[in-house]
Amino acid sequence: MLNIGIVGASGYVGQELNRILSKHPDVCVGSLSARRARPALGIKKFNIKKIVSSCDLVFFALPHAESMKFVPLVLRAKKKVIDLGADYRLKNTGEFTTWYAIKHSDKNNVVSSVYGLPAVYAKQIKKASLVANPGCYPTAAILSLLPLIKKKIIDTNSIIIDAKSGFSGAGRKNVEDGLLDELKENFKPYKVNYHQHMPEINQELSKYSGKRISVNFVPHLLPVFRGLMTTTYVKIVKAKSNISDAKLTELYKKFYKNDPFLRIRSQNSSVQIKDVVETNFCDIAIYLRKESKMIVVVSVIDNLVKGAAGQAVENMNLMYGFKQTEGLL
């Protein structure tokens, strides 16, 4: 039985992790902790020494730039880590400083960390001691684009990602500070083209394509608690202008054929958030408009599950040789 610790257990993601792991047959959640104890929820005040001594694997669900203070201690004890913050996602620590306004204090472990997107890095995740769990927006955006980039179907200089998330993605503190009232009967964009998930999307797409990609990214907050949708607009390159709806759908199905959580819809069918809420699935629909030489890709996930806690459990399953879907179906 694998002993698990969750640091940041009082937040939305930490609570979701505990919910999923409590049903997992191969693990025991032995430590729930946060910066402030919540005895009624079984959450103790954070003590890294106690966590290291009692846990085989630690999930960090802390605000950005917090987990890097403690991850080295866990790794030195030969224990494993899945970090759900941004601290180990960006390989360029200078970019981390630019986007998160703080100098990175654990550059060595950034080098050895594995980006936790199973559809791309399953083999590396299986051998990893430190997994950087992807952000919710990057998860949906990257999965939408990889098949098109692999086959060089699109102009990578003009990618537009229109993204919408439930307000839980902003975190418990922001919601408790009045965000819910602000969103009542409302819908708004924020951090247009300077959201901190942009460099993460750019990094992974650039790595996969072999050349620098810089997307246009516009996130929005929806007046719903959970769920996330990305609508991505791309131009078809001239050499691929004869591609058909059927071939596009076939391309996606073939690309993700071994991933148990990627569901590609039949051509010209629709996707919606409620189809994936409280699941670890990512549903994708592809739309071709030949007249304008455009492809629109719509993907939906639950931002707290596939966009955070569920994908983290999926990564844990790969790291420890459990069935990839264990605890998630």
Side-chain angles (χ1 to χ4, degrees), residues 300-312:
V300 289
I301 62 172
D302 185 318
N303 59 296
L304 294 178
V305 187
K306 184 62 173 175
Q311 188 154 242

Side-chain angles (χ1 to χ4, degrees), residues 14 30 46 53 97 104 108 117 135 154 160-161 169 171 178 220 223 240 244 261 271 296 309 314:
F46 173 60
S53 66
T97 299
H104 207 290
N108 289 338
L117 194 65
I154 59 171
I160 300 171
I161 302 169
H220 306 72
K240 303 290 183 176
S244 66
F261 294 109
V271 294
V296 177
E314 190 180 351

Side-chain angles (χ1 to χ4, degrees), residues 11-121:
Y12 291 139
V13 171
Q15 288 182 336
E16 196 72 16
L17 262 174
N18 190 32
R19 179 186 73 82
I20 296 170
L21 290 170
S22 67
K23 301 182 296 182
H24 198 294
D26 301 306
V27 307
C28 173
V29 181
S31 173
L32 294 173
S33 63
R35 286 171 293 182
R36 181 166 60 91
R38 298 196 178 195
L41 299 175
I43 299 173
K44 297 179 180 179
K45 189 173 182 180
F46 173 60
N47 183 314
I48 188 63
K49 289 184 179 179
K50 289 183 179 179
I51 293 166
V52 169
S53 66
S54 63
C55 298
D56 304 305
L57 168 70
V58 183
F59 291 92
F60 283 93
L62 294 173
H64 305 313
E66 288 294 316
S67 61
M68 63 184 174
K69 300 172 185 176
F70 310 107
V71 166
L73 299 174
V74 182
L75 295 177
R76 279 201 292 270
K78 306 300 181 184
K79 309 298 178 73
K80 296 186 179 184
V81 171
I82 297 176
D83 181 34
L84 288 96
D87 295 20
Y88 296 92
R89 295 173 187 163
L90 296 178
K91 292 300 184 181
N92 184 329
T93 54
E95 269 205 305
F96 180 88
T97 299
T98 298
W99 287 90
Y100 292 94
I102 188 168
K103 190 174 180 180
H104 207 290
S105 63
D106 188 25
K107 295 181 180 180
N108 289 338
N109 284 318
V110 170
V111 175
S112 60
S113 66
V114 175
Y115 191 69
L117 194 65
V120 183
Y121 298 111

Side-chain angles (χ1 to χ4, degrees), residues 117-122 138-153 204-205 207-209 246-265 282 284 286 297 306 324:
L117 194 65
V120 183
Y121 298 111
T139 294
I142 293 165
L143 292 174
S144 292
L145 285 162
L146 289 183
L148 298 176
I149 288 174
K150 180 184 180 182
K151 292 296 184 181
K152 297 181 170 52
I153 290 171
E204 293 305 310
L205 295 182
K207 189 188 303 182
Y208 201 77
S209 69
K247 286 196 172 183
L248 277 174
T249 302
E250 180 186 352
L251 168 66
Y252 273 75
K253 288 184 175 181
K254 185 176 180 180
F255 189 90
Y256 291 123
K257 66 180 180 179
N258 295 320
D259 193 299
F261 294 109
L262 268 290
R263 301 189 299 199
I264 310 304
R265 296 299 180 90
C282 174
I284 297 177
I286 310 105
V297 186
K306 184 62 173 175
Q324 189 170 340

Side-chain angles (χ1 to χ4, degrees), residues 252-302:
Y252 273 75
K253 288 184 175 181
K254 185 176 180 180
F255 189 90
Y256 291 123
K257 66 180 180 179
N258 295 320
D259 193 299
F261 294 109
L262 268 290
R263 301 189 299 199
I264 310 304
R265 296 299 180 90
S266 57
Q267 61 190 72
N268 295 318
S269 63
S270 62
V271 294
Q272 55 187 352
I273 284 174
K274 71 178 184 179
D275 292 339
V276 296
V277 163
E278 296 187 351
T279 80
N280 197 54
F281 288 108
C282 174
D283 287 5
I284 297 177
I286 310 105
Y287 306 89
L288 171 65
R289 180 170 168 77
K290 283 196 169 185
E291 293 84 353
S292 57
K293 297 181 175 58
M294 294 287 294
I295 298 170
V296 177
V297 186
V298 182
S299 62
V300 289
I301 62 172
D302 185 318

